[in-house]
Amino acid sequence: MPATPSDPNLTRARSWWGWGYTDAHPDDAECTALGALLPGTLARPLPIPRVADLPVARPGVTPPPALAHVVTADPGIRAAHAMGKAYRDVIRALRGRPGRIPDLVAHPADDQQVADLLDWAGEHGVAVIPFGGGSSVVGGVEYRGDTHRAVLSLDLTSMNRVLEIDTSGGSARIQAGALGPVLESQLKPHGLTLRHFPQSFEFSTLGGWLATRAGGHYATGRTRIDDFVQSLNVVTPAGVSTSWRLPASGAGPSPDRLFLGSEGSLGVITEAWMRVQERPRHKASASVAFTDFHRALDAVRALARSDLAPANCRLLDPGEALLSGAAHDGAAVLVLGFESATAPVNDRLATALDLARAHGGRAPSPAADRDTPGDTAVGAWRSAFLRMPYLRDGLARMGAVVETFETAATWDRIPELIDDVRTQVGAAALKATGHPATVNCRLTHVYPDGAAPYFTVAVAGRPGDEVEVWDEIKAAANDVLHRHRATITHHHAVGRDHRPGYDLQRPQPFALALRAAKNALDPHGILNPGVLID
C-alpha cells in the first residue's frame, strides 16, 4: 500500500551554509548577545555568506544526454552540496573557504538512474559522493583531494516514498531519500512510526541514517538504526545487492552488516525494509536533580541495568543543565521519559524515580500519564536540544569555536573518561586560544554495560584561524578517547574527520577485508573517496 510523500516544511528555505532553516537562524543582535557570553569573541558578527561570492568554477565534466535531465550545474545547488553541517563546515563557509565544490549535482528518481550514473562516473573518473540531507558533522559528504577528474554529488531526496507496508509483520519498504518528516508523514495515517528521531531528524534521510549507523533520540532499547533493518537494497558499481526479508538468520555473515555504516564507500543504499511500530499513546516524564554528578552516574547505570527501559534517560552535567535552562543552581539533571503504545507508563516512571532518589536524586512526584513534558526542566531541555545547532551557528558568526563530539565506553571507564576529557580538552582549548573554555557533558544513550557521553566545547577563537583551533582541540579530545579505549564515535559516523581515530580502533585484519570489499564493489574507486579507507 503506497503512500504519498508530504512535508509541511517544504516551503521553508534551507540554509546552504549553516544548520536548518534560514528563518530560524539568530539575527545580528542575537549573535552579538551570544558572543557577549564568551569573552574574546568578535565585536560584530561575520556577515552571512553569499553563493555569489564563492569561487564556483565551471563544471569539469558534462553528463551524458540520457542523464542530463536529472543533473544540474546550478551554483547555489552545488554550493549547498559542498559540505555537511559541522562547525568546520560552517566557519569555512563564513570565511569564504568552502573547499571543493562539486561539479554537478544529480537527483536520480530510481535505481536504474543511480546505476547509470555510477557507470558513467566510473568510465570518466568522476568521484561520486552519496548525499541525503547533508547533515553530516564529520566531513562525510565532501570531496578532499585531487585524484578525480570531477565530483558528482548524488542527491537521493527525489527517492522519498514509502513504497509498501506489511501490517501483519510490522514493516515498511521505504526509499532511502526520504527525510525524517517525509517518512513519518507517510507512516502516520497507518498509525505507525519508525520511531527513529536523531537531532538531525528534519534534515537527514533514511539512507543517511543507514549509511552512518545513526543513533536516535531514545536512550535505551532499539535506539540505533541497525535495530530496525529487515533488509537492504544497495546499488554498487559491481551490481545490485538485495538481501532477503527475514526476522533473523544465522546464514553466515550478514550482507546488511557490510553496508550499514559504510558511508557510501561501498554502494548507494536506495531502499530498505524497516521494522515499524505502533505510535505511542501513553507518555510520562520527569526530571531528577543531583548535587553529586558521580552519584548521578551511578543512578543512570542502575536504571540502564534494570528492566525499566526508559525512552529518555539523559543525564546533563551542571554546565549542560545550566546551558539548557534545566537547572540554575549548579545541579546535574537527569531527564527521564517513558512511553508505550499499549499501556500506561506511570508505574515505570514512579519506580525509576524511586531508584534515582536512592542514589541521592531530588525528584518530584510522578507526572500524570500525558503527552506533554512532566515538568519545566524537561520542557526546557527539549527546547534547547532543538535550538542548539542554530545557536552554535550564531556563535560561529561571532568567531567562537563551538562544537560537539561524542563517544561510548564501558561503565568502569565512564567516570574517569568524563573527568579527563573536561581537564585535557579544556587545557588544549586554553593553549590554542588563550581563553578559558566551557566543556560540558551529557549522557545521550545508556546500555547495561556502558554509556555514550556527548561533549560540548565553547571558547573564543583566533580570528581567521577558527578551523585550526578546532582541529587542535579535537586532536586533544581524540587522544583522550584513545587512551581510555573509548570509541571515536558512537553515532556521528567516521567521515573524513574521524579517520585517524577509526584507523586506530579498527583491527588490522578487518581493515584488509574492508579494502578488499572496496576494490571488489568499487573497482574504479569513485564512491566517496577517503571515507573509512583510502
Side-chain angles (χ1 to χ4, degrees):
M1 52 179 72
T4 301
S6 61
D7 181 357
N9 288 314
L10 283 177
T11 57
R12 296 181 71 183
R14 288 277 303 274
S15 171
W16 76 265
W17 63 273
W19 185 264
Y21 301 111
T22 56
D23 60 10
H25 277 247
D27 59 21
D28 287 3
E30 187 176 358
C31 289
T32 302
L34 289 169
L37 302 175
L38 280 178
T41 55
L42 302 174
R44 59 181 62 87
L46 296 169
I48 292 175
R50 304 186 311 156
V51 173
D53 297 331
L54 296 177
V56 183
R58 291 176 60 86
V61 68
T62 302
L67 298 171
H69 65 291
V70 298
V71 178
T72 180
D74 177 88
I77 296 175
R78 290 166 61 193
H81 287 72
M83 301 179 297
K85 301 302 181 184
Y87 171 78
R88 295 182 88 257
D89 305 324
V90 170
I91 198 67
R92 284 187 296 158
L94 288 168
R95 292 294 187 183
R97 302 192 293 263
R100 176 69 179 268
I101 295 174
D103 297 78
L104 300 169
V105 177
H107 291 86
D110 54 39
D111 280 20
Q112 187 58 58
Q113 289 181 356
V114 172
D116 291 344
L117 286 162
L118 294 184
D119 287 345
W120 166 78
E123 293 172 2
H124 293 83
V126 177
V128 178
I129 313 296
F131 192 99
S135 62
S136 171
V137 292
V138 293
V141 294
E142 66 178 272
Y143 180 83
R144 298 179 189 172
D146 56 6
T147 58
H148 292 80
R149 176 184 175 190
V151 179
L152 172 74
S153 179
L154 189 67
D155 188 315
L156 274 291
T157 53
S158 292
M159 301 172 65
N160 64 358
R161 296 176 65 87
V162 174
L163 299 171
E164 191 174 351
I165 295 176
D166 174 9
T167 54
S168 65
S171 55
R173 183 163 66 99
I174 307 170
Q175 290 183 306
L179 292 159
V182 173
L183 184 160
E184 286 291 330
S185 70
Q186 296 175 75
L187 293 176
K188 187 175 183 179
H190 305 277
L192 299 172
T193 176
L194 182 59
R195 197 180 178 268
H196 184 78
F197 301 103
Q199 188 176 29
S200 61
F201 171 75
E202 289 182 280
F203 313 112
S204 54
T205 63
L206 173 63
W209 303 340
L210 296 167
T212 60
R213 298 184 65 202
H217 166 71
Y218 295 98
T220 66
R222 291 198 298 178
T223 188
R224 302 193 65 84
I225 198 65
D226 315 37
D227 303 322
F228 299 94
V229 175
Q230 196 174 63
S231 71
L232 294 180
N233 190 80
V234 187
V235 178
T236 81
V240 179
S241 172
T242 304
S243 58
W244 287 15
R245 285 184 64 204
L246 295 167
S249 173
S254 166
D256 294 338
R257 290 286 171 179
L258 177 64
F259 295 107
L260 287 170
S262 62
E263 302 191 28
S265 64
L266 302 179
V268 181
I269 300 170
T270 57
E271 64 179 62
W273 274 97
M274 304 296 295
R275 298 179 177 95
V276 294
Q277 55 197 291
E278 293 182 37
R279 301 177 70 84
R281 292 181 294 148
H282 305 275
K283 297 182 181 182
S285 56
S287 65
V288 185
F290 291 85
T291 56
D292 186 326
F293 182 70
H294 285 270
R295 290 202 70 187
L297 288 173
D298 291 339
V300 173
R301 178 168 53 86
L303 283 164
R305 294 184 62 81
S306 73
D307 61 356
L308 294 171
N312 198 2
C313 188
R314 198 161 298 224
L315 177 62
L316 317 177
D317 75 1
E320 193 77 10
L322 178 64
L323 185 65
S324 67
H328 301 277
D329 59 357
V333 174
L334 172 61
V335 179
L336 281 172
F338 290 83
E339 64 179 40
S340 171
T342 57
V345 293
N346 300 76
D347 289 348
R348 280 196 285 158
L349 176 59
T351 302
L353 292 176
D354 286 343
L355 190 154
R357 291 189 191 98
H359 287 81
R362 304 191 310 272
S365 299
D369 189 44
R370 57 190 179 184
D371 290 337
T372 54
D375 59 22
T376 55
V378 176
W381 166 79
R382 189 169 298 172
S383 298
F385 177 74
L386 297 174
R387 183 64 178 154
M388 193 55 64
Y390 293 102
L391 300 182
R392 179 206 65 177
D393 291 358
L395 281 165
R397 290 186 62 199
M398 298 303 298
V401 176
V402 183
E403 187 56 299
T404 63
F405 62 95
E406 36 75 59
T407 184
T410 51
W411 280 116
D412 59 316
R413 297 177 181 138
I414 288 291
E416 186 178 356
L417 168 66
I418 293 174
D419 290 345
D420 280 1
V421 166
R422 287 193 185 115
T423 300
Q424 300 302 321
V425 171
L430 178 62
K431 180 179 178 181
T433 67
H435 299 288
T438 297
V439 183
N440 294 333
C441 175
R442 63 181 184 267
L443 298 188
T444 59
H445 303 76
V446 295
Y447 305 91
D449 53 348
Y454 191 110
F455 298 93
T456 301
V457 182
V459 65
R462 296 194 308 260
D465 293 331
E466 294 91 351
V467 170
E468 290 75 12
V469 167
W470 171 244
D471 287 347
E472 292 175 36
I473 296 171
K474 189 63 162 60
N478 291 351
D479 287 345
V480 177
L481 300 185
H482 184 62
R483 287 201 304 272
H484 286 269
R485 294 182 66 83
T487 182
I488 191 63
T489 176
H490 172 263
H491 59 268
H492 279 174
V494 175
R496 292 160 180 82
D497 296 347
H498 284 154
R499 268 294 305 279
Y502 178 61
D503 288 349
L504 291 172
Q505 181 178 330
R506 177 182 57 196
Q508 184 58 26
F510 181 76
L512 294 173
L514 188 59
R515 291 190 187 100
K518 173 72 170 177
N519 290 334
L521 296 173
D522 182 22
H524 296 292
I526 60 171
L527 283 172
N528 220 358
V531 167
L532 299 182
I533 53 178
D534 294 327

